[in-house]
């Protein structure tokens, strides 16, 4: 399932040595195992086979075109949260009719374009959104397929910044209001087609209990809506957690399953939810993101300096919070291992820190890690989900490259951004130019920086 392991003393992704990839593509570098992604999708499909679900891959976890194409080839649908994501699915060869569109702030433009393209359903987050969609669909003489996103007010027991299913969160419509709302839609909203119902309680959920609790709460409501409005589907959202710890058992393919027997595997998840969902006789949708790609990706970084102070050892690497923001944003844990296995023979306590001018740019604190030196490579494990998609150019840093491995082959999914392209959409207003620069621009040879900006693709 997990295909990063040491062979001949050096870390491999499937059959390719990480050091060979780094020699060609440089660092920081995201590397993905195709086999892991494929097996994760298959494993979910097999575990949930009795439900014959539509797996809508949540592309916010990793929206690389190549990975979207792989998922599309395997027949998945997609969970998108913007027109940008929807168009990217289409660009990758995915079927927009298998897309669910979530998000609290859908714009007129996004709704119009999605209706024209044809999607499976909008997951509605508020009544004003429903009114807007109804109006736009009317203008287009279409019926907009929708599901209301129910906020079941169940605490998923995960990090507060990735909890979504309680009344403290901005998401969904309160459980108690749903019944009346569907009846209102059926009678008042002429351009809406009630297709289903949806919930999503949070991310990185490592136990079945929150899923079970929220599904149990939802079942009577879902039955009622099925009987009254003939709804077609119930989406239980995403959120299946993955293990972020224990990568140090080198060579083991099992570490990703997590410490202890009680960590939720897809099989345990399936075992807990199938009996609740099967009797509904509805199409079941899931929106997993992290589970599919999280442990299929790593971020490789080069040690620039080892800085020793009387208090601490700082291992300063060339990847920063702009490349992988999860530790800074959620204090999240990523296993950190060296590319060369023998470096594990000696360890020391260190903070692994990046180049960004923020103290939050810290991947771990006072952790026992391999005793690395300048020029060694370190790997941040489990970086396939919410790594690259959350990367940015902070501190003038180009977005890293991405490589995918398939058995003994490897290729780029994305080239390393050049420094110059980081300011490609910027310009300098004429009134800020120096006199001689103005003269130059009056000669009819505009400075590169004063080239007109491309029209906003938004409206
Ligand atoms: N469906 C909806 C409506 C969502 O909002 C999300 C994630 C998913 C599905 C997929 O959840 P997953 O299966 O990946 O847990 N950046 C954070 C995670 C944010 C999740 C946002 N919503 C992190 O790095 O942990």
């Amino acid at each position: 399932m997990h295909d990063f392991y040491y062979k001949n003393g050096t870390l491999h992704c499937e059959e390719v040595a990480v050091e060979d990839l780094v020699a060609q593509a440089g660092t920081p570098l995201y590397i993905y195992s195709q086999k892991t992604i494929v097996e994760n999708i298959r494993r979910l499909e097999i575990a949930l086979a009795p439900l014959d679900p539509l797996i809508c891959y949540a592309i916010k976890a990793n929206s690389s075109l190549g990975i979207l194409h792989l998922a599309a080839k395997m027949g998945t649908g997609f969970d998108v949260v913007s027109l940008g994501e929807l168009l990217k699915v289409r660009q990758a060869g995915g079927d927009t009719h298998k897309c669910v569109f979530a998000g609290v702030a859908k714009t007129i433009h996004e709704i119009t374009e999605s209706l024209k393209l044809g999607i499976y359903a909008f997951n509605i987050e508020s009544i004003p959104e429903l009114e807007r969609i109804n109006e736009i669909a009317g203008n287009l003489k279409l019926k907009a397929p929708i599901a209301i996103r129910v906020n079941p007010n169940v605490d998923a027991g995960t990090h507060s910044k990735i909890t979504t299913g309680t009344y403290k969160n901005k998401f969904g419509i309160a459980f108690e209001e749903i019944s009346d709302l569907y009846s209102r839609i059926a009678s008042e909203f002429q351009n809406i087609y009630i297709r289903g119902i949806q919930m999503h309680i949070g991310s990185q959920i490592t136990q079945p209990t929150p899923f079970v609790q929220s599904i149990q709460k939802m079942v009577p409501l879902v039955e009622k809506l099925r009987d009254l409005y003939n709804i077609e589907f119930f989406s239980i959202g995403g959120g299946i957690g993955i293990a972020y710890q224990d990568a140090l058992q080198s060579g083991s393919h099992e570490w990703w399953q997590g410490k202890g027997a009680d960590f939720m595997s897809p099989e345990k998840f399936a075992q807990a939810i199938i009996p609740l969902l099967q009797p509904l006789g509805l199409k079941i949708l899931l929106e997993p993101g992290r589970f599919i790609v999280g442990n299929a990706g790593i971020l490789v970084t080069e040690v620039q300096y080892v800085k020793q102070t009387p208090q601490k050892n700082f291992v300063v690497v060339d990847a920063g919070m702009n490349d992988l923001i999860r530790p800074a944003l959620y204090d999240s844990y990523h296993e950190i291992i060296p590319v060369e296995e023998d470096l594990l023979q000696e360890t020391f306590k260190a903070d692994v820190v990046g180049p960004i001018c923020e103290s939050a740019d810290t991947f771990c604190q006072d952790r026992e890690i391999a005793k690395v030196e300048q020029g060694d490579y370190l790997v941040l494990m489990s970086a396939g989900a919410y790594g690259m998609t959350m990367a940015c150019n902070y501190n003038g840093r180009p977005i890293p490259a991405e490589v995918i491995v398939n058995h003994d082959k490897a290729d780029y999914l994305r080239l390393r951004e050049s420094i110059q392209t980081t300011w490609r959409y910027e310009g300098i207003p004429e009134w800020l130019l120096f006199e001689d620069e103005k003269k130059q621009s009056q000669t009819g040879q505009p400075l590169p920086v004063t080239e007109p900006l491309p029209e906003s693709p938004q409206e």
Side-chain angles (χ1 to χ4, degrees):
M1 188 63 60
H2 157 67
D3 273 286
F4 298 93
Y5 61 97
Y6 289 114
K7 188 167 96 182
N8 305 329
T10 189
L11 192 71
H12 280 61
C13 174
E14 301 192 18
E15 286 137 56
V16 177
V18 167
E19 60 187 4
D20 291 344
L21 296 175
V22 163
Q24 288 179 56
T27 52
L29 180 66
Y30 277 102
I31 301 174
Y32 307 107
S33 155
Q34 179 169 323
K35 184 165 167 240
T36 311
I37 298 173
V38 168
E39 286 184 2
N40 285 344
I41 295 175
R42 287 227 180 96
R43 188 158 173 206
L44 255 193
E45 281 173 349
I46 292 168
L48 294 163
L51 297 175
D52 189 24
L54 176 62
I55 294 178
C56 292
Y57 168 51
I59 85 165
K60 58 178 82 67
N62 189 314
S63 61
S64 165
L65 278 178
I67 290 176
L68 298 185
H69 188 70
L70 174 63
K73 265 173 82 177
M74 292 186 70
T76 74
F78 298 91
D79 165 53
V80 303
V81 74
S82 67
L83 182 61
E85 285 194 348
L86 184 64
L87 294 182
K88 204 164 179 191
V89 166
R90 192 182 60 155
Q91 181 70 21
D95 183 355
T96 60
H97 293 90
K98 284 190 188 172
C99 286
V100 287
F101 193 140
V104 292
K106 301 176 191 83
T107 65
I108 294 171
H109 181 63
E110 288 181 313
I111 294 166
T112 309
E113 293 308 307
S114 314
L115 281 172
K116 285 189 195 158
L117 279 172
I119 59 168
Y120 185 65
F122 289 108
N123 290 335
I124 305 291
E125 305 260 10
S126 68
I127 295 171
E129 181 196 331
L130 192 62
E131 290 166 346
R132 180 179 267 187
I133 292 179
N134 186 51
E135 194 183 327
I136 298 171
N139 293 339
L140 294 171
K141 305 211 173 356
L142 294 170
K143 279 207 170 235
I146 65 102
I148 301 290
R149 174 171 180 174
V150 181
N151 183 330
N153 201 22
V154 169
D155 188 350
T158 185
H159 191 284
S160 65
K161 285 190 181 159
I162 51 175
T163 293
T164 52
T166 77
Y167 290 165
K168 277 194 241 155
N169 309 119
K170 67 180 174 181
F171 300 101
I173 296 178
F175 180 81
E176 292 75 17
E177 294 172 30
I178 299 297
S179 233
D180 287 352
L181 182 57
Y182 271 80
S183 133
R184 222 187 116 193
I185 299 171
S187 60
E188 282 176 41
F189 292 84
Q190 303 302 317
N191 312 311
I192 296 287
Y193 156 38
I194 298 176
R195 190 163 211 170
I197 184 145
Q198 193 258 4
M199 66 173 196
H200 169 75
I201 54 172
S203 197
Q204 183 55 11
I205 302 169
T206 54
Q207 294 298 326
T209 318
F211 287 105
V212 169
Q213 281 172 351
S214 48
I215 293 172
Q216 274 171 340
K217 186 165 177 184
M218 289 283 287
V219 160
L221 174 66
V222 176
E223 283 172 334
K224 187 170 158 192
L225 301 177
R226 177 197 62 196
D227 298 343
L228 284 175
Y229 309 108
N230 207 12
I231 62 169
E232 173 182 310
F233 78 91
F234 174 24
S235 171
I236 62 165
I240 307 171
I242 60 165
Y244 281 95
Q245 297 201 16
D246 286 355
L248 278 173
Q249 298 159 20
S250 60
S252 162
H253 283 228
E254 297 303 319
W255 69 266
W256 66 275
Q257 290 185 8
K259 258 193 197 143
D262 66 339
F263 189 88
M264 183 177 71
S265 65
E267 291 75 22
K268 273 192 192 161
F269 169 71
Q271 219 178 12
I273 64 163
I274 288 173
L276 304 173
L277 294 171
Q278 209 171 16
L280 289 172
L282 292 176
K283 190 192 250 314
I284 300 298
L285 264 65
L286 276 91
E287 302 162 4
R290 188 190 317 266
F291 176 79
I292 290 175
V293 285
N295 277 323
I298 60 173
L299 176 61
V300 191
T301 181
E302 186 186 343
V303 176
Q304 299 302 307
Y305 304 100
V306 177
K307 172 174 170 178
Q308 280 161 330
T309 70
Q311 291 79 27
K312 276 189 183 262
N313 299 311
F314 291 101
V315 173
V316 187
V317 296
D318 68 354
M321 64 190 275
N322 71 299
D323 304 304
L324 178 67
I325 203 172
R326 302 193 69 260
L329 201 53
Y330 318 112
D331 291 321
S332 60
Y333 184 99
H334 287 262
E335 206 69 79
I336 300 177
I337 61 171
V339 168
E340 297 314 320
E341 189 177 17
D342 65 2
L343 290 173
L344 284 168
Q345 310 245 320
E346 209 183 328
T347 61
F348 68 160
K349 218 175 233 184
D351 288 16
V352 176
V353 298
I356 302 284
C357 297
E358 303 248 2
S359 297
D361 187 25
T362 298
F363 292 120
C364 70
Q365 270 177 314
D366 295 320
R367 197 188 295 175
E368 201 68 31
I369 61 159
K371 191 153 189 315
V372 284
E373 287 170 11
Q374 195 172 88
D376 289 335
Y377 293 107
L378 280 175
V379 174
L380 290 138
M381 301 298 287
S382 317
Y386 307 106
M388 188 62 164
T389 44
M390 295 177 82
C392 72
N393 290 128
Y394 189 38
N395 278 200
R397 292 167 49 80
I399 302 286
E402 290 174 294
V403 161
I404 191 163
V405 172
N406 179 22
H407 300 289
D408 56 354
K409 293 196 294 272
D411 205 345
Y412 282 103
L413 287 173
R414 180 184 173 122
L415 299 175
R416 186 172 303 285
E417 190 178 27
S418 72
I419 287 178
Q420 285 74 12
T421 53
T422 64
W423 57 75
R424 69 193 175 287
Y425 290 125
E426 297 179 37
I428 301 174
E430 206 203 324
W431 67 86
L432 289 176
L433 296 177
F434 292 115
E435 283 309 312
D436 56 334
E437 290 173 321
K438 279 185 192 160
K439 256 183 237 142
Q440 247 180 298
S441 68
Q442 279 159 10
T443 62
Q445 294 186 340
L447 295 170
V449 285
T450 60
E451 274 174 9
L453 294 174
E455 263 178 44
S456 158
Q458 278 295 306
E459 305 294 337

